[in-house]
C-alpha cells in the first residue's frame, strides 16, 4: 500500500480561523498534517505543539496519487492561511462526494 504524509507548522490563519469536524472553528498558531493512503487523503489540524488533532471540514478527500495529495496539502495550507472558517478547498472536497 502506498503512503505519504506532509506537515506544515506555524500557520496563523486570518480572521475566522479554520473549521474542524470535532470542535468547530479554531485559530491561532496551527499545524496542518495531510496523510495519503493510496486512494484518499486525510487532513488534520492542531494547535502547534499540542497532541490533539482535529479533522479539517471536508476531509477525507479522494486522491489517486502521491503528487495529487501533495498538491492538496499545499492548497489546504494556503486556504488555512486565508482563514474565514477555512475548510478543504471546494474543488477538492467535491471529489470525495
Amino acid at each position: 500500500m502506498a503512503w505519504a504524509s506532509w506537515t506544515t507548522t506555524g500557520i496563523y490563519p486570518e480572521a475566522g480561523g479554520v473549521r474542524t469536524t470535532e470542535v468547530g472553528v479554531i485559530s491561532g498558531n496551527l499545524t496542518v498534517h495531510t496523510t495519503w493512503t493510496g486512494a484518499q487523503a486525510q487532513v488534520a489540524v492542531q494547535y502547534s505543539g499540542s497532541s490533539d488533532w482535529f479533522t479539517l471540514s471536508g476531509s477525507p478527500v479522494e486522491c489517486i496519487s502521491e503528487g495529487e495529495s501533495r498538491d492538496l496539502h499545499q492548497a489546504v495550507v494556503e486556504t488555512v492561511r486565508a482563514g474565514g472558517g477555512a475548510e478543504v478547498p471546494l474543488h477538492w472536497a467535491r471529489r470525495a462526494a
Side-chain angles (χ1 to χ4, degrees), residues 40-97:
Q40 71 177 10
Q42 178 74 33
V43 182
V45 295
Q46 74 172 177
Y47 293 106
S48 293
S50 171
S51 61
D52 296 323
W53 287 96
F54 305 107
T55 305
L56 186 65
S57 292
S59 178
V61 176
E62 179 184 323
C63 281
I64 60 170
S65 71
E66 183 176 338
E68 186 176 74
S69 63
R70 177 68 178 107
D71 292 344
L72 166 67
H73 179 80
Q74 189 57 44
V76 166
V77 167
E78 292 167 15
T79 300
V80 167
R81 282 190 178 118
E87 301 178 343
V88 170
L90 192 55
H91 85 278
W92 287 97
R94 286 186 180 150
R95 299 176 66 185

Side-chain angles (χ1 to χ4, degrees), residues 13-31:
E14 297 287 328
V18 302
R19 185 167 308 282
T20 69
T21 302
E22 296 86 0
V23 296
V25 175
I26 63 173
S27 61
N29 183 1
L30 302 179
T31 297

